[in-house]
Amino acid sequence: MKTRIRALLLALVLVLSMTTAAFAADAGSGSACLTVSTVLRDSKIEATVYLQAAEGLTNGRISVAYDPKAATLEDAQVLLSCGAASVNKETAGEVSLAWVGSHLTGEETAVLRLTFRFAAAEDVTLTAKAPEAYAGDDAVAVAEGSAIVAYNPFTDIGGHWAEEDILKAYHAGLFQGVTETTFVPQGKLNRAMFVTVLYRMAGSPAVED
């Protein structure tokens, strides 16, 4: 009887120790994460993927998923300083970066810059994941990050007779709106605004004197 009780207690201790170890691993898994920062420039979406709090990360793979019906990938640029890196753009709706030979020390490191064009009149969602990440031989869990790029960021043009043309001009980089979320379609176009639009239509050339 004592032997059986002793065996049960030992099994219980083993289960508790395994549970504690698993909890500790989960508690630390959220320390590293991915973030995606986007900006609309010259009718193109420029997205930069950052690794946050990934100190000691030496190698791994990051993938960015998007809807190919909503966006078209035009360029992928590696920003991470490492021994070797490879970008894969063969899978529709996904671009991935595999790298080795890094030793991250900062709180925030830019790893990848992607350039897209809107392929349809709809929002574009970008989701970054790190299915593989290592610090030496130790696997590191990295939380995913995402960003949504609104095709129509303006709250005051819905149903306006010029809505479609406003968005065409916005995505062509000619107008940026009065604020990030308002266009003020009934507002006045002053001389400075008019000159700025002409300058952008000319391709924003260098100005001398």
Side-chain angles (χ1 to χ4, degrees):
M1 186 68 173
K2 287 182 180 180
T3 305
R4 188 176 298 174
I5 291 173
R6 217 176 277 145
L8 286 171
L9 287 173
L10 180 60
L12 181 61
V13 169
L14 286 171
V15 169
L16 286 173
S17 63
M18 289 171 65
T19 303
T20 303
F23 177 79
D26 288 341
S29 65
S31 58
C33 65
L34 288 163
T35 59
V36 182
S37 174
T38 62
V39 63
L40 192 64
R41 183 176 286 116
D42 297 329
S43 75
K44 298 181 181 181
I45 302 168
E46 190 176 277
T48 305
V49 180
Y50 294 90
L51 265 171
Q52 306 272 0
E55 186 173 355
L57 218 59
T58 55
N59 56 291
R61 182 170 65 88
I62 291 171
S63 66
V64 179
Y66 61 96
D67 183 353
K69 294 179 181 178
T72 301
L73 178 67
E74 290 205 334
D75 188 42
Q77 179 185 2
V78 179
L79 304 177
L80 179 65
S81 177
C82 58
S86 174
V87 175
N88 186 341
K89 300 180 286 185
E90 300 303 315
T91 303
E94 182 182 272
V95 56
S96 63
L97 164 69
W99 86 95
V100 295
S102 68
H103 185 72
L104 307 185
T105 56
E107 284 297 307
E108 180 180 82
T109 303
V111 295
L112 188 63
R113 179 164 295 145
L114 305 174
T115 303
F116 297 90
R117 277 191 182 275
F118 282 99
E122 58 183 271
D123 297 349
V124 175
T125 301
L126 305 173
T127 304
K129 298 181 180 180
E132 299 174 71
Y134 300 91
D137 294 330
D138 298 326
V140 177
V142 181
E144 69 177 54
S146 63
I148 298 175
V149 184
Y151 181 79
N152 176 12
F154 305 120
T155 59
D156 59 353
I157 66 171
H160 190 274
W161 63 268
E163 178 180 358
E164 184 179 346
D165 291 317
I166 289 171
L167 289 173
K168 285 180 179 179
Y170 168 70
H171 288 293
L174 301 180
F175 285 88
Q176 296 179 342
V178 175
T179 71
E180 289 185 359
T181 57
T182 60
F183 187 82
V184 191
Q186 299 304 118
K188 294 182 178 180
L189 182 72
N190 61 35
R191 185 182 300 176
M193 293 176 180
F194 182 67
V195 171
T196 300
V197 172
L198 291 178
Y199 172 69
R200 290 171 179 164
M201 289 179 69
S204 303
V207 178
E208 296 179 3
D209 299 328

